[in-house]
Amino acid sequence: MHFVTIQPIVALVAGILILVVPGLLRVIIALYLIVIGLMGLFPHLFDRIAAGG
């Protein structure tokens, strides 16, 4: 599965969690930004992980 198809799923789950538990907003946004930043800095690393090694 490619990360482009994972991003909408992650966004949907994060949105639902924010609605259910508003206190998680800071944590969810921070984790999302960290993951997106790492994917931008190290795209080849994440391609290898998605490909299974």
Side-chain angles (χ1 to χ4, degrees):
M1 185 178 284
H2 198 271
F3 280 99
V4 174
T5 58
I6 292 176
Q7 287 179 349
I9 296 169
V10 171
L12 180 63
V13 170
I16 292 170
L17 284 174
I18 290 168
L19 283 175
V20 174
V21 186
L24 288 178
L25 180 62
R26 281 184 284 169
V27 174
I28 291 172
I29 291 175
L31 290 175
Y32 179 78
L33 291 173
I34 290 169
V35 169
I36 296 301
L38 289 173
M39 286 173 56
L41 288 173
F42 306 106
H44 301 295
L45 174 68
F46 287 94
D47 286 341
R48 278 187 251 141
I49 292 171

